[in-house]
Amino acid sequence: PTADFETSPHLALLSTSRDRPVDWLRTGQAVERVLLRATLEGLAASFVTQALEWHDLRWPLRDPMAGMAYVQMVLRLGYGPSGTRTPRRPVQDVLDIEP
């Protein structure tokens, strides 16, 4: 059985004070941590980045009180139906451990 996605998911905005390649890299590292934590907590996550593709829409997303002027990523977090597990090869097929 599956459940519908909740009607009030949370949106998380990851932002930086500047918009340089190093900021993009750090945002990617933050996304990795957020997605791993969400998985541990049983949350579903999806990217909502269409607004970030338009410069005119990116500016209103910022939080002027926090000084974070460049929103780099928008994530939707909530509870939803479980997906199928990704098939994995046995460890012994991909890793050689020598004593």
Side-chain angles (χ1 to χ4, degrees):
T2 62
D4 292 331
F5 275 99
E6 59 187 287
T7 57
S8 301
H10 292 285
L11 293 177
L13 281 75
L14 300 177
S15 57
T16 58
S17 59
R18 298 183 66 189
D19 195 26
R20 304 165 299 169
V22 68
D23 299 307
W24 308 335
L25 175 66
R26 289 184 181 141
T27 300
Q29 293 170 329
V31 168
E32 175 188 15
R33 289 180 180 94
V34 169
L35 293 177
L36 288 171
R37 187 64 192 188
T39 299
L40 287 174
E41 298 296 333
L43 292 169
S46 60
F47 301 102
V48 187
T49 58
Q50 187 172 5
L52 300 178
E53 296 172 13
W54 296 89
H55 182 69
D56 294 346
L57 295 177
R58 198 171 172 206
W59 183 249
L61 291 174
R62 77 196 189 292
D63 180 1
M65 298 300 290
M68 298 308 248
Y70 299 94
V71 176
Q72 304 289 350
M73 180 60 64
V74 181
L75 294 169
R76 179 184 188 270
L77 300 168
Y79 295 97
S82 299
T84 57
R85 294 183 60 93
T86 304
R88 303 282 188 216
R89 292 173 47 191
V91 173
Q92 60 270 19
D93 287 357
V94 296
L95 182 64
D96 292 327
I97 301 175
E98 297 181 13

